[in-house]
mmCIF file of all heavy atoms in Angstrom:
data_model
loop_
_atom_site.group_PDB
_atom_site.id
_atom_site.type_symbol
_atom_site.label_atom_id
_atom_site.label_comp_id
_atom_site.label_asym_id
_atom_site.label_seq_id
_atom_site.Cartn_x
_atom_site.Cartn_y
_atom_site.Cartn_z
ATOM 1 N N GLN M 23 82.915 88.816 93.903
ATOM 2 C CA GLN M 23 81.623 88.044 93.657
ATOM 3 C C GLN M 23 81.990 86.635 93.920
ATOM 4 O O GLN M 23 83.038 86.083 93.549
ATOM 5 C CB GLN M 23 81.175 88.253 92.314
ATOM 6 C CG GLN M 23 80.607 89.675 92.111
ATOM 7 C CD GLN M 23 80.084 89.805 90.783
ATOM 8 O OE1 GLN M 23 80.498 89.116 89.749
ATOM 9 N NE2 GLN M 23 79.164 90.749 90.569
ATOM 10 N N THR M 24 81.033 85.964 94.602
ATOM 11 C CA THR M 24 81.178 84.554 94.969
ATOM 12 C C THR M 24 79.863 83.932 94.689
ATOM 13 O O THR M 24 78.978 84.492 94.095
ATOM 14 C CB THR M 24 81.652 84.353 96.417
ATOM 15 O OG1 THR M 24 81.879 82.961 96.624
ATOM 16 C CG2 THR M 24 80.708 84.875 97.427
ATOM 17 N N THR M 25 79.664 82.721 95.066
ATOM 18 C CA THR M 25 78.417 81.938 94.955
ATOM 19 C C THR M 25 78.059 81.426 96.369
ATOM 20 O O THR M 25 78.911 81.367 97.253
ATOM 21 C CB THR M 25 78.547 80.840 93.878
ATOM 22 O OG1 THR M 25 77.207 80.286 93.689
ATOM 23 C CG2 THR M 25 79.523 79.777 94.294
ATOM 24 N N THR M 26 76.799 81.130 96.400
ATOM 25 C CA THR M 26 76.294 80.514 97.752
ATOM 26 C C THR M 26 76.983 79.203 97.999
ATOM 27 O O THR M 26 77.391 78.443 97.059
ATOM 28 C CB THR M 26 74.763 80.382 97.740
ATOM 29 O OG1 THR M 26 74.373 79.573 96.723
ATOM 30 C CG2 THR M 26 74.120 81.661 97.662
ATOM 31 N N ASN M 27 77.162 78.896 99.277
ATOM 32 C CA ASN M 27 77.768 77.565 99.651
ATOM 33 C C ASN M 27 79.144 77.349 99.110
ATOM 34 O O ASN M 27 79.628 76.282 98.920
ATOM 35 C CB ASN M 27 76.874 76.324 99.233
ATOM 36 C CG ASN M 27 75.534 76.397 99.905
ATOM 37 O OD1 ASN M 27 75.444 76.738 101.179
ATOM 38 N ND2 ASN M 27 74.448 76.188 99.143
ATOM 39 N N ALA M 28 79.908 78.536 98.926
ATOM 40 C CA ALA M 28 81.349 78.419 98.606
ATOM 41 C C ALA M 28 82.288 78.690 99.715
ATOM 42 O O ALA M 28 81.807 79.474 100.679
ATOM 43 C CB ALA M 28 81.537 79.353 97.411
ATOM 44 N N THR M 29 83.508 78.245 99.743
ATOM 45 C CA THR M 29 84.506 78.598 100.632
ATOM 46 C C THR M 29 85.305 79.594 100.029
ATOM 47 O O THR M 29 85.901 79.458 98.934
ATOM 48 C CB THR M 29 85.283 77.424 101.097
ATOM 49 O OG1 THR M 29 84.418 76.375 101.569
ATOM 50 C CG2 THR M 29 86.300 77.791 102.195
ATOM 51 N N ASN M 30 85.481 80.837 100.731
ATOM 52 C CA ASN M 30 86.234 81.917 100.327
ATOM 53 C C ASN M 30 87.471 82.135 101.182
ATOM 54 O O ASN M 30 87.489 81.972 102.391
ATOM 55 C CB ASN M 30 85.372 83.183 100.456
ATOM 56 C CG ASN M 30 84.113 83.190 99.678
ATOM 57 O OD1 ASN M 30 84.114 83.650 98.579
ATOM 58 N ND2 ASN M 30 83.143 82.484 100.106
ATOM 59 N N TYR M 31 88.581 82.333 100.565
ATOM 60 C CA TYR M 31 89.937 82.492 101.141
ATOM 61 C C TYR M 31 90.464 83.852 100.662
ATOM 62 O O TYR M 31 90.423 84.043 99.555
ATOM 63 C CB TYR M 31 90.872 81.421 100.755
ATOM 64 C CG TYR M 31 90.388 79.900 101.080
ATOM 65 C CD1 TYR M 31 89.609 79.274 100.206
ATOM 66 C CD2 TYR M 31 90.808 79.390 102.365
ATOM 67 C CE1 TYR M 31 89.309 77.925 100.625
ATOM 68 C CE2 TYR M 31 90.392 78.080 102.639
ATOM 69 C CZ TYR M 31 89.632 77.353 101.804
ATOM 70 O OH TYR M 31 89.160 76.113 102.086
ATOM 71 N N VAL M 32 91.053 84.507 101.647
ATOM 72 C CA VAL M 32 91.772 85.778 101.320
ATOM 73 C C VAL M 32 93.167 85.656 101.878
ATOM 74 O O VAL M 32 93.419 85.349 103.086
ATOM 75 C CB VAL M 32 91.054 87.077 101.940
ATOM 76 C CG1 VAL M 32 91.943 88.206 101.529
ATOM 77 C CG2 VAL M 32 89.745 87.255 101.424
ATOM 78 N N PHE M 33 94.180 85.685 100.953
ATOM 79 C CA PHE M 33 95.553 85.590 101.376
ATOM 80 C C PHE M 33 96.284 86.903 101.071
ATOM 81 O O PHE M 33 95.734 87.746 100.257
ATOM 82 C CB PHE M 33 96.303 84.617 100.461
ATOM 83 C CG PHE M 33 95.603 83.219 100.610
ATOM 84 C CD1 PHE M 33 94.726 82.801 99.774
ATOM 85 C CD2 PHE M 33 96.101 82.190 101.668
ATOM 86 C CE1 PHE M 33 94.187 81.465 99.854
ATOM 87 C CE2 PHE M 33 95.590 80.988 101.650
ATOM 88 C CZ PHE M 33 94.619 80.613 100.771
ATOM 89 N N TYR M 34 97.389 87.173 101.709
ATOM 90 C CA TYR M 34 98.186 88.272 101.461
ATOM 91 C C TYR M 34 99.654 87.948 101.599
ATOM 92 O O TYR M 34 100.056 86.919 102.204
ATOM 93 C CB TYR M 34 97.885 89.410 102.410
ATOM 94 C CG TYR M 34 98.354 89.266 103.822
ATOM 95 C CD1 TYR M 34 99.617 89.726 104.155
ATOM 96 C CD2 TYR M 34 97.571 88.634 104.700
ATOM 97 C CE1 TYR M 34 100.088 89.530 105.533
ATOM 98 C CE2 TYR M 34 97.996 88.453 106.000
ATOM 99 C CZ TYR M 34 99.322 88.875 106.393
ATOM 100 O OH TYR M 34 99.749 88.648 107.685
ATOM 101 N N LYS M 35 100.591 88.831 100.970
ATOM 102 C CA LYS M 35 102.006 88.731 101.258
ATOM 103 C C LYS M 35 102.438 90.152 101.268
ATOM 104 O O LYS M 35 101.906 91.000 100.506
ATOM 105 C CB LYS M 35 102.708 87.739 100.375
ATOM 106 C CG LYS M 35 102.704 88.104 98.742
ATOM 107 C CD LYS M 35 103.440 86.963 98.054
ATOM 108 C CE LYS M 35 103.487 87.235 96.660
ATOM 109 N NZ LYS M 35 104.252 86.184 95.939
ATOM 110 N N THR M 36 103.611 90.391 101.871
ATOM 111 C CA THR M 36 104.199 91.697 101.973
ATOM 112 C C THR M 36 105.452 91.825 101.151
ATOM 113 O O THR M 36 105.967 92.904 101.085
ATOM 114 C CB THR M 36 104.535 92.037 103.399
ATOM 115 O OG1 THR M 36 105.417 91.073 103.922
ATOM 116 C CG2 THR M 36 103.273 92.133 104.241
ATOM 117 N N ASN M 37 105.905 90.745 100.396
ATOM 118 C CA ASN M 37 107.041 90.781 99.639
ATOM 119 C C ASN M 37 106.837 90.019 98.316
ATOM 120 O O ASN M 37 106.453 88.812 98.294
ATOM 121 C CB ASN M 37 108.247 90.227 100.480
ATOM 122 C CG ASN M 37 109.552 90.293 99.717
ATOM 123 O OD1 ASN M 37 109.550 90.385 98.408
ATOM 124 N ND2 ASN M 37 110.588 90.290 100.515
ATOM 125 N N PHE M 38 107.060 90.694 97.201
ATOM 126 C CA PHE M 38 106.708 90.011 95.850
ATOM 127 C C PHE M 38 107.691 88.827 95.628
ATOM 128 O O PHE M 38 107.428 87.901 94.935
ATOM 129 C CB PHE M 38 106.808 90.966 94.766
ATOM 130 C CG PHE M 38 105.636 91.898 94.534
ATOM 131 C CD1 PHE M 38 105.735 93.147 94.735
ATOM 132 C CD2 PHE M 38 104.437 91.283 94.199
ATOM 133 C CE1 PHE M 38 104.587 93.968 94.597
ATOM 134 C CE2 PHE M 38 103.314 92.149 94.044
ATOM 135 C CZ PHE M 38 103.426 93.437 94.154
ATOM 136 N N ALA M 39 108.939 88.934 96.259
ATOM 137 C CA ALA M 39 109.938 87.936 96.014
ATOM 138 C C ALA M 39 109.656 86.600 96.764
ATOM 139 O O ALA M 39 110.145 85.520 96.355
ATOM 140 C CB ALA M 39 111.276 88.485 96.524
ATOM 141 N N THR M 40 108.826 86.636 97.720
ATOM 142 C CA THR M 40 108.504 85.337 98.506
ATOM 143 C C THR M 40 107.301 84.610 97.697
ATOM 144 O O THR M 40 106.517 85.148 97.005
ATOM 145 C CB THR M 40 108.029 85.649 99.857
ATOM 146 O OG1 THR M 40 106.708 86.379 99.792
ATOM 147 C CG2 THR M 40 108.974 86.442 100.734
ATOM 148 N N THR M 41 107.336 83.298 97.862
ATOM 149 C CA THR M 41 106.363 82.439 97.185
ATOM 150 C C THR M 41 105.217 82.193 98.173
ATOM 151 O O THR M 41 104.110 81.636 97.763
ATOM 152 C CB THR M 41 106.972 81.175 96.625
ATOM 153 O OG1 THR M 41 107.533 80.492 97.722
ATOM 154 C CG2 THR M 41 107.988 81.503 95.573
ATOM 155 N N ASN M 42 105.404 82.343 99.399
ATOM 156 C CA ASN M 42 104.400 81.919 100.370
ATOM 157 C C ASN M 42 103.427 83.061 100.597
ATOM 158 O O ASN M 42 103.744 84.180 100.815
ATOM 159 C CB ASN M 42 105.020 81.599 101.759
ATOM 160 C CG ASN M 42 105.993 80.378 101.724
ATOM 161 O OD1 ASN M 42 105.730 79.484 100.757
ATOM 162 N ND2 ASN M 42 106.991 80.350 102.464
ATOM 163 N N TRP M 43 102.057 82.630 100.669
ATOM 164 C CA TRP M 43 101.116 83.566 101.092
ATOM 165 C C TRP M 43 100.544 83.214 102.486
ATOM 166 O O TRP M 43 100.495 82.144 102.876
ATOM 167 C CB TRP M 43 99.786 83.309 100.017
ATOM 168 C CG TRP M 43 100.167 83.768 98.614
ATOM 169 C CD1 TRP M 43 100.858 83.084 97.690
ATOM 170 C CD2 TRP M 43 99.837 85.039 97.993
ATOM 171 N NE1 TRP M 43 100.898 83.796 96.550
ATOM 172 C CE2 TRP M 43 100.339 85.020 96.730
ATOM 173 C CE3 TRP M 43 99.220 86.232 98.539
ATOM 174 C CZ2 TRP M 43 100.216 86.140 95.939
ATOM 175 C CZ3 TRP M 43 99.000 87.337 97.697
ATOM 176 C CH2 TRP M 43 99.506 87.230 96.362
ATOM 177 N N THR M 44 100.145 84.261 103.171
ATOM 178 C CA THR M 44 99.575 84.127 104.493
ATOM 179 C C THR M 44 98.047 84.252 104.396
ATOM 180 O O THR M 44 97.559 85.178 103.821
ATOM 181 C CB THR M 44 100.126 85.312 105.372
ATOM 182 O OG1 THR M 44 101.538 85.243 105.463
ATOM 183 C CG2 THR M 44 99.629 85.169 106.887
ATOM 184 N N LEU M 45 97.388 83.394 105.123
ATOM 185 C CA LEU M 45 95.828 83.384 105.155
ATOM 186 C C LEU M 45 95.416 84.540 106.031
ATOM 187 O O LEU M 45 95.860 84.630 107.241
ATOM 188 C CB LEU M 45 95.347 82.048 105.746
ATOM 189 C CG LEU M 45 93.874 82.031 105.756
ATOM 190 C CD1 LEU M 45 93.179 82.052 104.401
ATOM 191 C CD2 LEU M 45 93.427 80.815 106.519
ATOM 192 N N LEU M 46 94.675 85.476 105.399
ATOM 193 C CA LEU M 46 94.120 86.607 106.276
ATOM 194 C C LEU M 46 92.743 86.126 106.860
ATOM 195 O O LEU M 46 92.485 86.409 108.060
ATOM 196 C CB LEU M 46 93.848 87.779 105.338
ATOM 197 C CG LEU M 46 93.148 89.006 105.985
ATOM 198 C CD1 LEU M 46 93.999 89.646 107.042
ATOM 199 C CD2 LEU M 46 92.827 90.019 104.939
#
Side-chain angles (χ1 to χ4, degrees):
Q23 291 181 334
T24 186
T25 187
T26 57
N27 298 317
T29 304
N30 298 263
Y31 301 89
V32 180
F33 299 92
Y34 73 91
K35 63 180 177 177
T36 57
N37 184 335
F38 283 116
T40 63
T41 57
N42 295 332
W43 291 84
T44 302
L45 180 66
L46 176 66

